[in-house]
Amino acid sequence: DVKLRELALKTKLDGYKVVLGRVLTGDQFVGKKSEMAYLTEELGGDVVEMEGAGVALVCKVNGVPLLLVRAVSDSADENAKD
């Protein structure tokens, strides 16, 4: 939703950076640099997560605007904990 995106990008959060990017959703934990590199190069993803697609589908079906906001807590590499 364009209006929600504009509001989010204007939001100031002390100690945090708000950025616009592509969130990829899947059904597998990403825990290797090579996996994240593939997702970045092939699909243009900035971050990966596992819950957003279900929420997005329900919103789409019901005509509800959606803005997916993620707090990135790991680097989706060998240091990530599943």
Side-chain angles (χ1 to χ4, degrees):
D1 184 81
V2 175
K3 289 181 183 179
L4 291 176
R5 182 177 61 217
E6 289 174 0
L7 284 171
L9 290 173
K10 291 178 185 176
T11 301
K12 303 294 182 212
L13 300 170
D14 290 337
Y16 296 93
K17 179 172 61 171
V18 177
V19 296
L20 177 64
R22 178 173 280 181
V23 177
L24 302 179
T25 300
D27 62 355
Q28 297 177 16
F29 181 78
V30 177
K32 294 182 182 175
K33 269 188 185 177
S34 60
E35 294 171 337
M36 188 60 196
Y38 171 79
L39 294 170
T40 301
E41 293 167 14
E42 291 295 316
L43 302 175
D46 296 302
V47 296
V48 294
E49 53 95 81
M50 298 176 67
E51 303 84 16
V55 175
L57 177 60
V58 170
C59 289
K60 179 74 171 172
V61 167
N62 291 288
V64 175
L66 169 72
L67 175 71
L68 182 62
V69 177
R70 302 306 297 186
V72 179
S73 60
D74 64 59
S75 55
D77 61 15
E78 287 77 6
N79 296 312
K81 306 281 189 259
D82 60 351

PDB file of all heavy atoms in Angstrom, residues 45-65:
ATOM      1  N   GLY A  45      16.319  -9.968  -3.382  1.00  0.00           N
ATOM      2  CA  GLY A  45      15.880  -9.845  -2.002  1.00  0.00           C
ATOM      3  C   GLY A  45      16.877  -9.113  -1.133  1.00  0.00           C
ATOM      4  O   GLY A  45      18.082  -9.228  -1.319  1.00  0.00           O
ATOM      5  N   ASP A  46      16.353  -8.360  -0.192  1.00  0.00           N
ATOM      6  CA  ASP A  46      17.194  -7.667   0.783  1.00  0.00           C
ATOM      7  C   ASP A  46      17.245  -8.422   2.101  1.00  0.00           C
ATOM      8  O   ASP A  46      18.264  -8.428   2.781  1.00  0.00           O
ATOM      9  CB  ASP A  46      16.667  -6.252   1.021  1.00  0.00           C
ATOM     10  CG  ASP A  46      16.745  -5.412  -0.242  1.00  0.00           C
ATOM     11  OD1 ASP A  46      17.859  -5.260  -0.778  1.00  0.00           O
ATOM     12  OD2 ASP A  46      15.696  -4.933  -0.698  1.00  0.00           O
ATOM     13  N   VAL A  47      16.122  -9.023   2.483  1.00  0.00           N
ATOM     14  CA  VAL A  47      16.024  -9.847   3.688  1.00  0.00           C
ATOM     15  C   VAL A  47      15.102 -11.023   3.402  1.00  0.00           C
ATOM     16  O   VAL A  47      14.317 -10.994   2.455  1.00  0.00           O
ATOM     17  CB  VAL A  47      15.498  -9.056   4.912  1.00  0.00           C
ATOM     18  CG1 VAL A  47      16.448  -7.951   5.299  1.00  0.00           C
ATOM     19  CG2 VAL A  47      14.114  -8.521   4.667  1.00  0.00           C
ATOM     20  N   VAL A  48      15.211 -12.057   4.230  1.00  0.00           N
ATOM     21  CA  VAL A  48      14.313 -13.207   4.114  1.00  0.00           C
ATOM     22  C   VAL A  48      13.604 -13.432   5.443  1.00  0.00           C
ATOM     23  O   VAL A  48      14.133 -13.109   6.505  1.00  0.00           O
ATOM     24  CB  VAL A  48      15.065 -14.494   3.697  1.00  0.00           C
ATOM     25  CG1 VAL A  48      15.625 -14.356   2.302  1.00  0.00           C
ATOM     26  CG2 VAL A  48      16.169 -14.838   4.666  1.00  0.00           C
ATOM     27  N   GLU A  49      12.396 -13.974   5.359  1.00  0.00           N
ATOM     28  CA  GLU A  49      11.629 -14.307   6.541  1.00  0.00           C
ATOM     29  C   GLU A  49      10.676 -15.429   6.174  1.00  0.00           C
ATOM     30  O   GLU A  49      10.660 -15.880   5.040  1.00  0.00           O
ATOM     31  CB  GLU A  49      10.925 -13.073   7.110  1.00  0.00           C
ATOM     32  CG  GLU A  49      10.090 -12.316   6.099  1.00  0.00           C
ATOM     33  CD  GLU A  49       8.646 -12.723   6.113  1.00  0.00           C
ATOM     34  OE1 GLU A  49       7.893 -12.262   6.965  1.00  0.00           O
ATOM     35  OE2 GLU A  49       8.251 -13.511   5.237  1.00  0.00           O
ATOM     36  N   MET A  50       9.916 -15.909   7.149  1.00  0.00           N
ATOM     37  CA  MET A  50       9.106 -17.097   6.905  1.00  0.00           C
ATOM     38  C   MET A  50       7.606 -16.905   7.153  1.00  0.00           C
ATOM     39  O   MET A  50       6.847 -17.846   7.001  1.00  0.00           O
ATOM     40  CB  MET A  50       9.624 -18.249   7.764  1.00  0.00           C
ATOM     41  CG  MET A  50      11.053 -18.632   7.441  1.00  0.00           C
ATOM     42  SD  MET A  50      11.729 -19.906   8.506  1.00  0.00           S
ATOM     43  CE  MET A  50      10.758 -21.316   8.059  1.00  0.00           C
ATOM     44  N   GLU A  51       7.146 -15.724   7.509  1.00  0.00           N
ATOM     45  CA  GLU A  51       5.738 -15.556   7.869  1.00  0.00           C
ATOM     46  C   GLU A  51       4.926 -14.647   6.950  1.00  0.00           C
ATOM     47  O   GLU A  51       3.703 -14.760   6.895  1.00  0.00           O
ATOM     48  CB  GLU A  51       5.624 -14.987   9.295  1.00  0.00           C
ATOM     49  CG  GLU A  51       6.300 -15.804  10.368  1.00  0.00           C
ATOM     50  CD  GLU A  51       7.786 -15.522  10.516  1.00  0.00           C
ATOM     51  OE1 GLU A  51       8.273 -14.494  10.003  1.00  0.00           O
ATOM     52  OE2 GLU A  51       8.458 -16.350  11.143  1.00  0.00           O
ATOM     53  N   GLY A  52       5.564 -13.755   6.267  1.00  0.00           N
ATOM     54  CA  GLY A  52       4.866 -12.684   5.555  1.00  0.00           C
ATOM     55  C   GLY A  52       3.926 -13.100   4.449  1.00  0.00           C
ATOM     56  O   GLY A  52       2.898 -12.453   4.233  1.00  0.00           O
ATOM     57  N   ALA A  53       4.231 -14.166   3.732  1.00  0.00           N
ATOM     58  CA  ALA A  53       3.393 -14.559   2.593  1.00  0.00           C
ATOM     59  C   ALA A  53       1.985 -14.926   3.030  1.00  0.00           C
ATOM     60  O   ALA A  53       1.012 -14.568   2.359  1.00  0.00           O
ATOM     61  CB  ALA A  53       4.035 -15.713   1.838  1.00  0.00           C
ATOM     62  N   GLY A  54       1.860 -15.635   4.146  1.00  0.00           N
ATOM     63  CA  GLY A  54       0.531 -16.002   4.630  1.00  0.00           C
ATOM     64  C   GLY A  54      -0.304 -14.793   4.986  1.00  0.00           C
ATOM     65  O   GLY A  54      -1.480 -14.695   4.623  1.00  0.00           O
ATOM     66  N   VAL A  55       0.303 -13.853   5.665  1.00  0.00           N
ATOM     67  CA  VAL A  55      -0.390 -12.621   6.041  1.00  0.00           C
ATOM     68  C   VAL A  55      -0.758 -11.833   4.783  1.00  0.00           C
ATOM     69  O   VAL A  55      -1.877 -11.330   4.653  1.00  0.00           O
ATOM     70  CB  VAL A  55       0.477 -11.763   6.985  1.00  0.00           C
ATOM     71  CG1 VAL A  55      -0.178 -10.434   7.282  1.00  0.00           C
ATOM     72  CG2 VAL A  55       0.770 -12.523   8.264  1.00  0.00           C
ATOM     73  N   ALA A  56       0.174 -11.737   3.836  1.00  0.00           N
ATOM     74  CA  ALA A  56      -0.081 -10.997   2.602  1.00  0.00           C
ATOM     75  C   ALA A  56      -1.229 -11.610   1.808  1.00  0.00           C
ATOM     76  O   ALA A  56      -2.066 -10.890   1.259  1.00  0.00           O
ATOM     77  CB  ALA A  56       1.189 -10.960   1.752  1.00  0.00           C
ATOM     78  N   LEU A  57      -1.291 -12.926   1.754  1.00  0.00           N
ATOM     79  CA  LEU A  57      -2.369 -13.598   1.027  1.00  0.00           C
ATOM     80  C   LEU A  57      -3.721 -13.294   1.658  1.00  0.00           C
ATOM     81  O   LEU A  57      -4.683 -12.960   0.962  1.00  0.00           O
ATOM     82  CB  LEU A  57      -2.125 -15.100   0.988  1.00  0.00           C
ATOM     83  CG  LEU A  57      -3.222 -15.923   0.314  1.00  0.00           C
ATOM     84  CD1 LEU A  57      -3.400 -15.506  -1.139  1.00  0.00           C
ATOM     85  CD2 LEU A  57      -2.920 -17.400   0.411  1.00  0.00           C
ATOM     86  N   VAL A  58      -3.819 -13.398   2.974  1.00  0.00           N
ATOM     87  CA  VAL A  58      -5.080 -13.119   3.664  1.00  0.00           C
ATOM     88  C   VAL A  58      -5.509 -11.674   3.418  1.00  0.00           C
ATOM     89  O   VAL A  58      -6.680 -11.396   3.146  1.00  0.00           O
ATOM     90  CB  VAL A  58      -4.957 -13.411   5.172  1.00  0.00           C
ATOM     91  CG1 VAL A  58      -6.174 -12.902   5.938  1.00  0.00           C
ATOM     92  CG2 VAL A  58      -4.771 -14.911   5.403  1.00  0.00           C
ATOM     93  N   CYS A  59      -4.560 -10.746   3.482  1.00  0.00           N
ATOM     94  CA  CYS A  59      -4.871  -9.336   3.231  1.00  0.00           C
ATOM     95  C   CYS A  59      -5.341  -9.118   1.795  1.00  0.00           C
ATOM     96  O   CYS A  59      -6.329  -8.416   1.555  1.00  0.00           O
ATOM     97  CB  CYS A  59      -3.665  -8.461   3.540  1.00  0.00           C
ATOM     98  SG  CYS A  59      -3.312  -8.336   5.307  1.00  0.00           S
ATOM     99  N   LYS A  60      -4.656  -9.728   0.851  1.00  0.00           N
ATOM    100  CA  LYS A  60      -5.017  -9.582  -0.564  1.00  0.00           C
ATOM    101  C   LYS A  60      -6.433 -10.106  -0.815  1.00  0.00           C
ATOM    102  O   LYS A  60      -7.250  -9.440  -1.447  1.00  0.00           O
ATOM    103  CB  LYS A  60      -4.002 -10.331  -1.422  1.00  0.00           C
ATOM    104  CG  LYS A  60      -4.262 -10.282  -2.890  1.00  0.00           C
ATOM    105  CD  LYS A  60      -3.932  -8.941  -3.448  1.00  0.00           C
ATOM    106  CE  LYS A  60      -3.984  -8.976  -4.959  1.00  0.00           C
ATOM    107  NZ  LYS A  60      -3.847  -7.654  -5.525  1.00  0.00           N
ATOM    108  N   VAL A  61      -6.719 -11.297  -0.325  1.00  0.00           N
ATOM    109  CA  VAL A  61      -8.024 -11.917  -0.527  1.00  0.00           C
ATOM    110  C   VAL A  61      -9.145 -11.068   0.074  1.00  0.00           C
ATOM    111  O   VAL A  61     -10.238 -10.975  -0.473  1.00  0.00           O
ATOM    112  CB  VAL A  61      -8.046 -13.345   0.068  1.00  0.00           C
ATOM    113  CG1 VAL A  61      -9.453 -13.901   0.171  1.00  0.00           C
ATOM    114  CG2 VAL A  61      -7.162 -14.271  -0.751  1.00  0.00           C
ATOM    115  N   ASN A  62      -8.855 -10.419   1.196  1.00  0.00           N
ATOM    116  CA  ASN A  62      -9.880  -9.644   1.897  1.00  0.00           C
ATOM    117  C   ASN A  62      -9.835  -8.143   1.616  1.00  0.00           C
ATOM    118  O   ASN A  62     -10.562  -7.380   2.242  1.00  0.00           O
ATOM    119  CB  ASN A  62      -9.772  -9.901   3.403  1.00  0.00           C
ATOM    120  CG  ASN A  62     -10.177 -11.312   3.740  1.00  0.00           C
ATOM    121  OD1 ASN A  62     -11.356 -11.646   3.679  1.00  0.00           O
ATOM    122  ND2 ASN A  62      -9.223 -12.164   4.067  1.00  0.00           N
ATOM    123  N   GLY A  63      -8.975  -7.735   0.687  1.00  0.00           N
ATOM    124  CA  GLY A  63      -8.907  -6.323   0.319  1.00  0.00           C
ATOM    125  C   GLY A  63      -8.407  -5.418   1.422  1.00  0.00           C
ATOM    126  O   GLY A  63      -8.796  -4.251   1.508  1.00  0.00           O
ATOM    127  N   VAL A  64      -7.516  -5.938   2.262  1.00  0.00           N
ATOM    128  CA  VAL A  64      -6.977  -5.162   3.377  1.00  0.00           C
ATOM    129  C   VAL A  64      -5.571  -4.679   3.009  1.00  0.00           C
ATOM    130  O   VAL A  64      -4.727  -5.479   2.611  1.00  0.00           O
ATOM    131  CB  VAL A  64      -6.909  -6.039   4.657  1.00  0.00           C
ATOM    132  CG1 VAL A  64      -6.240  -5.294   5.791  1.00  0.00           C
ATOM    133  CG2 VAL A  64      -8.294  -6.511   5.043  1.00  0.00           C
ATOM    134  N   PRO A  65      -5.302  -3.381   3.124  1.00  0.00           N
ATOM    135  CA  PRO A  65      -3.958  -2.880   2.826  1.00  0.00           C
ATOM    136  C   PRO A  65      -2.922  -3.535   3.746  1.00  0.00           C
ATOM    137  O   PRO A  65      -3.208  -3.845   4.904  1.00  0.00           O
ATOM    138  CB  PRO A  65      -4.045  -1.384   3.115  1.00  0.00           C
ATOM    139  CG  PRO A  65      -5.499  -1.065   3.094  1.00  0.00           C
ATOM    140  CD  PRO A  65      -6.209  -2.313   3.539  1.00  0.00           C
TER     141      PRO A  65
END
